[in-house]
Amino acid sequence: MNFLLVALGGFIGSIARYQISLFTTRRLIGTWIANITGSMLLAVLWHFYITQFISEFWWLLFGVGFCGAYTTFSTFGNETMKLLQNKEYKLAICYVFASLLISFITVASIFLYSIRLC
């Protein structure tokens, strides 16, 4: 059953990710949006899971499955390499730091909030 939950969540997450790419005109923006919103969602879901607000069912479906397929770290790496190959060094550095920093700050904020509640 757990495999099916993760697979179903992944199916939904990959479709959501594809929809973002259709709505954004530049691929870089779509990946950035997916990674930031996916990090935020995963942090919130993790908080709900460890505080037992959601069950393992919902964690596997949305935390593991959906977020795993929705976020696009491999695409992030590929796009960063393309920027470097095109000698767009400043944009590559800004993209990497903005993605990592905003994701980290969001996750850390929610994590620290969770610790205070436990």
Side-chain angles (χ1 to χ4, degrees):
M1 179 65 170
N2 291 350
F3 289 110
L4 292 175
L5 289 172
V6 173
L8 178 61
F11 174 75
I12 297 167
S14 61
I15 290 172
R17 171 64 185 95
Y18 178 67
Q19 288 297 314
I20 287 176
S21 70
L22 293 178
F23 288 121
T24 57
T25 56
R26 294 186 63 200
R27 183 175 172 90
L28 202 64
I29 299 296
T31 302
W32 188 82
I33 290 170
N35 286 339
I36 298 301
T37 58
S39 295
M40 293 168 56
L41 178 60
L42 186 59
V44 169
L45 289 169
W46 176 250
H47 166 73
F48 287 157
Y49 180 63
I50 64 170
T51 58
Q52 299 179 343
F53 187 76
I54 62 171
S55 67
E56 186 176 34
F57 176 92
W58 298 109
W59 169 248
L60 291 173
L61 180 66
F62 290 111
V64 178
F66 180 87
C67 289
Y70 177 71
T71 57
T72 53
F73 196 74
S74 59
T75 304
F76 166 73
N78 185 52
E79 289 174 346
T80 302
M81 290 307 299
K82 285 181 183 178
L83 290 171
L84 293 172
Q85 286 174 340
N86 293 334
K87 298 182 189 259
E88 296 181 65
Y89 303 117
K90 206 182 284 187
L91 182 56
I93 289 169
C94 288
Y95 181 54
V96 168
F97 281 111
S99 297
L100 295 176
L101 187 64
I102 292 171
S103 293
F104 179 75
I105 288 170
T106 302
V107 171
S109 298
I110 294 169
F111 178 75
L112 291 173
Y113 177 76
S114 296
I115 291 173
R116 280 188 268 153
L117 292 179
C118 293

